[in-house]
């Protein structure tokens, strides 16, 4: 079954019911595949004269390197994938590609899944200089554990083998190959990543799959292979069947792709998640005959397991009654439940706890939602399941919903993989109306979602079944930043004063979650740096105060004291920026054309209020005219500057109402941004009296 483009998450594994250690089987398999293995063991492909003399890539001036050839061959019967890359280095920057990091994920499973323990082997490489000199790689890669993660009871560890190819110069060709291997009782469908940050002149992908005697751990024998291509025009997968051969006298399926001249992923502002847009092919084993069967069966299986964890036992019902005591409406009860769950430790933002710690504290394993409450901690998924369990215990209809993280990718029904879902949210009927909640996103306000989970399609529980559903998000009024500056200038042009920032909605959630990953000083440093990036370099940011950091239902307020100089002295005149926060801003969309949609994180509003008080020796000579620009149905902007005898006040409002602007709409968006960003650079002109100008020091930039 050939379907449409989808997200490139790791494919699910399926288990073979064959006995993996029969010597006879392996001897025969080795004989069958001996020609393939021997071919891999040959010397590297000699470079051509054109490759050695290549100094640039026509049509792509200044690119650091180009992939001359890439190959990936997946052989299920040997449980391995063979990889090969040959890269031409064109600039000094391109030499970074000699530092190779080969990442992979190894897991230890749960339920009926023993895990996919993976390894890398047969790592070989060499460097070829432009004159043909060959320098072989003789070092030893080192292993580095990059991250650990648990999802749905499966422990995962991201590891990498890292090495550097020798003596790489501009003009060199580097090439390396290696094999990825998985457990003998596992077969895993590949996903072919076609497009990356380098131009690919030629690539070859091949898969020798096996579905005989292979079973899904929950749904039985594998009966089909589906694939989901995102490919340029003219590229297609060649699917063929070889005649029966070998000791089993069975035919062999082959999937093959040969492709040339693949451009690099474009680097544009506000790009959509490229995991859902760049060229790739995603395969999937399936025990089902249709996509509808897949989602119905897999959804029901997930829902059953989630309910087993979330449904309240007597202890959880008792705890819920205590927590909701005094509340009379569903909303009142649920607010108390939400606050209780949000007060627990979210280990996705802190750290994992070892089993020995729980044992010392008289606690067992986390088996259900009640255990999460007893342990006073859980990961994001477990806390969401606890919230739903407590809502059910309080007599409300509550469902779970699996959603993607749209900062990474977008869900599509046509890619038959639950790995598209990253997170879990809750849907609760509150006083007759369904509301969406995100208790797994630490500090997310009641009845709101983190932006990564807004405006996405996911899979939700509906009674004993599941169904696709769409989440919504707040408009620009719900995601606001207010920037207020009140500064005073003395006769010498020195400014002192205060800047206050107020964050509401997603901007507040961002900073609160930043705080979870560091201490108070690191948070203050990050906040100070964010303001310094807005202000002219002549303004120094000093003290930082934070109010409401833990009160996720209220705005987050941050105050700063600042000092310095502002503006440029020209004779008797001092030319100052009309808006302090935008004086050094660069054009948001400098490119005239756009290949991909513009993708903002969320609708938002930014409100600026700036007042600069000046001494009586100055007077205002000129201020910008009021300006207003609109992009109908998308965004709006206005700015005004009011003059007074001893100060001027700037007020600016920018509101963005949409998150996705298609390429056809880009010219209008770019024109709109160009208009208001040009207006942001307007100046206020102050004139000094003769007496003051003869004594005042010049202002700086």
């Amino acid at each position: 079954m050939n379907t449409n483009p989808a997200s490139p998450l790791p494919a699910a594994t399926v288990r073979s019911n064959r006995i993996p250690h029969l010597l006879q089987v392996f001897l025969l398999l080795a004989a069958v595949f001996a020609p393939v293995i021997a071919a891999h063991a040959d010397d590297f492909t000699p470079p051509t004269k054109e490759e050695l003399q290549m100094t640039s890539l026509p049509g792509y001036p200044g690119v650091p390197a180009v992939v001359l050839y890439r190959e990936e061959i997946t052989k299920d019967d040997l449980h391995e994938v063979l990889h090969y890359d040959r890269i031409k280095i064109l600039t000094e920057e391109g030499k970074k590609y000699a530092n190779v990091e080969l990442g992979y994920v190894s897991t230890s499973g749960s339920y009926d899944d023993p895990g996919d323990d993976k390894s890398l082997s047969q790592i070989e490489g060499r460097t070829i200089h432009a004159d043909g000199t060959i320098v072989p790689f003789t070092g030893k890669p080192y292993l580095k554990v990059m991250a650990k993660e648990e999802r749905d009871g499966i422990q995962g560890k991201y590891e990498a083998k890292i090495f550097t190819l020798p003596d790489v110069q501009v003009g060199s060709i580097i090439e390396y190959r290696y094999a990825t291997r998985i457990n003998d009782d596992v077969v895993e469908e590949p996903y072919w990543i076609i497009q990356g940050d380098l131009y690919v002149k030629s690539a070859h992908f091949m898969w020798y799959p096996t579905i005989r005697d292979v079973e899904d751990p929950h749904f039985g024998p594998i009966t089909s292979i589906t694939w989901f291509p995102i490919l340029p025009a003219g590229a297609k997968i060649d699917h063929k069947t070889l005649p029966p051969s070998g000791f089993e006298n069975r035919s062999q399926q082959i999937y093959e792709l040969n492709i040339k001249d693949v451009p690099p992923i474009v680097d544009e502002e506000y790009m959509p998640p490229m995991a859902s847009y760049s060229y790739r092919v995603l395969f999937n084993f399936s025990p089902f005959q249709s996509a509808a069967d897949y989602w119905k069966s897999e959804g029901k299986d997930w829902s059953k397991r989630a309910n087993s964890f979330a449904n309240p036992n007597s202890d959880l019902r008792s705890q819920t009654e205590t927590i909701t005591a005094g509340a009379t409406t569903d909303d009142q009860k649920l607010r108390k439940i939400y606050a209780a769950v949000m007060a627990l430790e979210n280990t996705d933002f802190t750290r994992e706890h070892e089993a020995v710690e729980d044992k010392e504290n008289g606690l067992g394993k986390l088996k259900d939602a009640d255990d999460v409450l007893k342990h006073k901690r859980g990961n994001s998924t477990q806390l969401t399941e606890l919230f739903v369990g407590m809502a059910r215990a309080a007599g409300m209809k509550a469902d779970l919903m699996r959603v993607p993280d749209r900062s990474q990718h977008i869900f599509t029904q046509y890619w038959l993989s639950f790995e598209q879902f990253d997170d879990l949210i809750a849907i609760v009927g509150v006083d007759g109306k369904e509301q969406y909640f995100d208790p797994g996103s630490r500090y997310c306000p009641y009845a709101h979602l983190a932006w990564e989970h807004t405006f996405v399609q996911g899979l939700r529980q509906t009674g004993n079944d599941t169904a696709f559903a769409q989440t919504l998000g707040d408009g620009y009024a719900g995601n606001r930043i207010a920037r207020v500056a009140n500064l005073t200038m003395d006769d010498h042009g020195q400014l002192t004063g205060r800047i206050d920032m107020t964050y509401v909605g997603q901007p507040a959630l961002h900073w609160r979650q930043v705080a979870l990953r560091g201490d108070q000083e690191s948070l203050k440093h990050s906040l100070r740096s964010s303001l310094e990036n807005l202000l002219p370099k002549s303004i120094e940011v000093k003290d930082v105060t934070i109010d409401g950091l833990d009160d996720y239902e209220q705005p987050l307020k941050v105050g700063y004291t600042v000092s310095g100089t502002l503006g440029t002295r020209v004779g008797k005149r001092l030319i100052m920026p009309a808006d302090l926060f935008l004086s050094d801003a660069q054009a948001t969309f400098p490119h005239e054309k756009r290949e991909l949609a513009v993708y903002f994180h969320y609708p938002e509003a930014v409100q600026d209020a700036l007042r600069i008080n000046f001494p009586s020796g100055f007077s205002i000579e000129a201020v910008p005219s009021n300006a207003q620009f609109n992009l109908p149905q998308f965004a709006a902007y206005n700015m005004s500057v009011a003059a007074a005898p001893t100060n001027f006040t700037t007020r600016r409002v920018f509101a963005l109402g949409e998150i996705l602007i298609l390429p056809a709409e880009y010219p209008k968006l770019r024109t709109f941004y160009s208009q208001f960003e040009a207006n942001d650079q307007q100046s206020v002109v102050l004139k000094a009296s003769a007496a003051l100008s003869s004594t005042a020091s010049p202002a700086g930039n």
Side-chain angles (χ1 to χ4, degrees), residues 360-398:
E360 290 174 353
N361 293 318
L363 298 170
K365 293 183 178 180
L366 285 172
K367 301 183 299 297
D368 54 30
D370 182 55
D371 286 339
V372 177
L373 191 60
K374 289 176 180 176
H375 283 67
K376 298 182 180 180
R377 70 168 190 273
N379 60 32
S380 296
T381 295
Q382 293 164 343
L383 292 174
T384 303
E385 291 171 329
L386 170 62
F387 174 72
V388 165
M390 295 179 73
R392 291 172 178 174
M396 286 172 265
K397 183 181 182 302

Side-chain angles (χ1 to χ4, degrees), residues 13 22 36 60 63 83 115 117 140 167 188 228 233 237 348 390 435 458 477 536 538 609-610 615 633 637 663 673:
T13 58
L22 292 176
V36 178
Y60 294 85
V63 294
H83 309 261
D117 294 331
K140 184 178 181 180
D167 195 26
E188 186 177 76
F228 200 86
I237 297 170
D348 285 343
M390 295 179 73
Q435 295 187 27
S538 58
L610 165 68
Q633 301 180 355
Y637 164 95
Y673 266 79

Side-chain angles (χ1 to χ4, degrees), residues 300-611:
K300 196 168 186 176
D301 180 67
W302 157 70
S303 181
K304 181 180 178 180
R305 288 186 282 111
N307 281 339
S308 177
F309 189 93
N311 280 345
N313 58 23
S314 58
D315 287 345
L316 188 59
R317 291 183 184 278
S318 176
Q319 289 293 322
T320 301
E321 288 179 3
T322 300
I323 289 170
T324 59
T328 57
T329 67
D330 287 350
D331 182 68
Q332 291 173 350
K333 292 177 183 178
L334 201 61
R335 286 183 182 274
K336 289 191 173 186
I337 291 171
Y338 191 83
V341 173
M342 195 61 68
L344 303 178
E345 179 186 354
N346 187 324
T347 57
D348 285 343
F349 292 91
T350 54
R351 65 177 180 87
E352 293 183 7
H353 291 255
E354 301 294 337
V356 65
E357 296 180 65
D358 290 335
K359 187 175 182 180
E360 290 174 353
N361 293 318
L363 298 170
K365 293 183 178 180
L366 285 172
K367 301 183 299 297
D368 54 30
D370 182 55
D371 286 339
V372 177
L373 191 60
K374 289 176 180 176
H375 283 67
K376 298 182 180 180
R377 70 168 190 273
N379 60 32
S380 296
T381 295
Q382 293 164 343
L383 292 174
T384 303
E385 291 171 329
L386 170 62
F387 174 72
V388 165
M390 295 179 73
R392 291 172 178 174
M396 286 172 265
K397 183 181 182 302
D399 294 324
L400 293 162
M401 180 173 175
R402 297 195 71 157
V403 292
D405 176 350
R406 68 174 173 87
S407 70
Q408 302 298 319
H409 58 95
I410 298 170
F411 169 74
T412 174
Q413 300 177 29
Y414 303 107
W415 167 230
L416 307 186
S417 174
F418 249 67
E419 289 297 324
Q420 294 185 79
F421 299 126
D422 301 281
D423 299 311
L424 202 63
I425 63 172
I427 307 171
V428 184
V430 184
D431 297 322
K433 180 182 178 182
E434 280 195 342
Q435 295 187 27
Y436 288 69
F437 299 85
D438 206 343
S441 292
R442 187 78 169 98
Y443 287 137
C444 188
Y446 177 87
H448 292 267
L449 301 176
W451 74 263
E452 295 90 344
H453 306 149
T454 60
F455 307 112
V456 298
Q457 187 181 51
L459 192 70
R460 63 165 291 179
Q461 294 177 320
T462 57
N464 294 323
D465 293 312
T466 57
F468 296 112
Q470 189 81 22
T471 66
L472 299 176
D474 296 316
Y476 65 84
N479 303 311
R480 305 191 316 275
I481 301 176
R483 308 183 294 206
V484 179
N486 193 347
L487 308 177
T488 299
M489 185 176 70
D490 64 16
D491 290 343
H492 301 285
Q494 293 293 314
L495 285 166
T496 57
R498 181 176 176 85
I499 293 177
D500 292 294
M501 310 279 278
T502 302
Y503 302 95
V504 176
Q506 301 298 333
L509 179 59
H510 165 76
W511 284 115
R512 287 179 168 128
Q513 292 185 346
V514 168
L516 291 169
R517 294 184 166 91
D519 56 19
Q520 189 81 352
E521 286 307 311
S522 66
L523 174 62
K524 288 184 176 181
H525 175 76
S526 296
L527 286 164
R528 183 184 295 108
S529 296
S530 71
L531 180 58
E532 288 172 342
N533 290 335
L534 296 174
L535 301 178
K537 298 299 184 286
S538 58
I539 300 292
E540 180 184 2
V541 181
K542 297 182 177 179
D543 298 330
V544 181
T545 59
I546 305 170
D547 183 38
L549 183 61
D550 297 325
D551 190 353
Y552 54 86
E553 298 292 356
Q554 298 299 321
L556 173 65
K557 298 182 178 181
V558 183
Y560 309 83
T561 57
V562 299
S563 64
T565 58
L566 186 66
T568 302
R569 180 84 66 177
V570 181
K572 294 182 179 181
R573 292 170 177 81
L574 180 60
I575 302 174
M576 308 184 74
D579 192 326
L580 179 72
F581 303 105
L582 299 158
S583 60
D584 290 336
Q586 303 297 312
T588 303
F589 298 109
H591 302 112
E592 292 186 9
K593 296 181 180 180
R594 180 88 180 188
E595 293 189 28
L596 297 173
V598 176
Y599 186 75
F600 296 104
H601 287 171
Y602 47 82
E604 67 173 337
V606 180
Q607 301 167 293
D608 290 350
L610 165 68
R611 172 166 292 174

Side-chain angles (χ1 to χ4, degrees), residues 609-645:
L610 165 68
R611 172 166 292 174
I612 293 186
N613 304 287
F614 47 79
S616 57
F618 285 94
S619 61
I620 293 180
E621 184 174 88
V623 297
S625 301
N626 294 350
Q628 181 174 327
F629 304 102
N630 292 290
L631 185 61
Q633 301 180 355
F634 285 102
Y637 164 95
N638 64 73
M639 187 171 82
S640 63
V641 182

